[in-house]
Amino acid sequence: MAHSMDIVAMLEAGIKAEGLRQQTIASNVANMATPGYRRLDVRFEELLTKAIHSSDGVEARNLEPEIYQPMNTPVRANGNDVNLEAEIGEMLKNSLRHTAYVRLLRRKFAQMETAMGVQG
């Protein structure tokens, strides 16, 4: 079972990843008319899953989101593949994930305070 501080580190890494993803989505939208621009995305969830299931003791605090080009979306005549509706959908999903990470982190801290007998 994961240690409480490992869980906190994983949640913090998730919050950091969602912040980076929000910036990446904003960059995609800002460049949607730029000829040749290919959208970017952030790889984090699969890295988190790998770390959770890893037997080699991957440190939660070493989890770093990665920016990459998926290269899996249709390209328009100008070489650009940014789709505004898809980016808005990603932004909404990102916001929900961010909110979930923050709520889980808040709950984890509340559990730790309760265990230490701290009155809120």
Side-chain angles (χ1 to χ4, degrees), residues 92-107:
L92 292 172
K93 288 193 294 188
N94 189 62
S95 178
L96 292 172
R97 278 191 302 263
H98 184 270
T99 300
Y101 284 135
V102 169
R103 285 183 180 165
L104 289 168
L105 187 59
R106 196 175 295 141
R107 184 173 293 157

Side-chain angles (χ1 to χ4, degrees), residues 5 13 20-21 27 32-35 41 43 47 55 57 63 69 71 74-75 80 82 84 88 90 95 99 118:
M5 293 315 293
L20 180 61
R21 186 174 282 124
S27 177
M32 63 185 285
T34 304
D41 199 356
R43 181 179 291 121
L47 300 174
S55 60
L63 279 174
Q69 282 186 317
M71 308 293 266
V75 180
N80 188 303
V82 177
L84 182 60
I88 290 171
E90 287 301 315
S95 178
T99 300
V118 176

Side-chain angles (χ1 to χ4, degrees), residues 47-102:
L47 300 174
L48 177 61
T49 300
K50 208 181 283 186
I52 290 171
H53 292 67
S54 172
S55 60
D56 65 0
V58 174
E59 292 280 330
R61 61 188 135 275
N62 293 337
L63 279 174
E64 286 293 326
E66 300 172 357
I67 295 176
Y68 73 104
Q69 282 186 317
M71 308 293 266
N72 62 357
T73 50
V75 180
R76 292 189 305 279
N78 70 353
N80 188 303
D81 68 345
V82 177
N83 176 298
L84 182 60
E85 291 81 16
E87 296 300 323
I88 290 171
E90 287 301 315
M91 193 179 302
L92 292 172
K93 288 193 294 188
N94 189 62
S95 178
L96 292 172
R97 278 191 302 263
H98 184 270
T99 300
Y101 284 135
V102 169

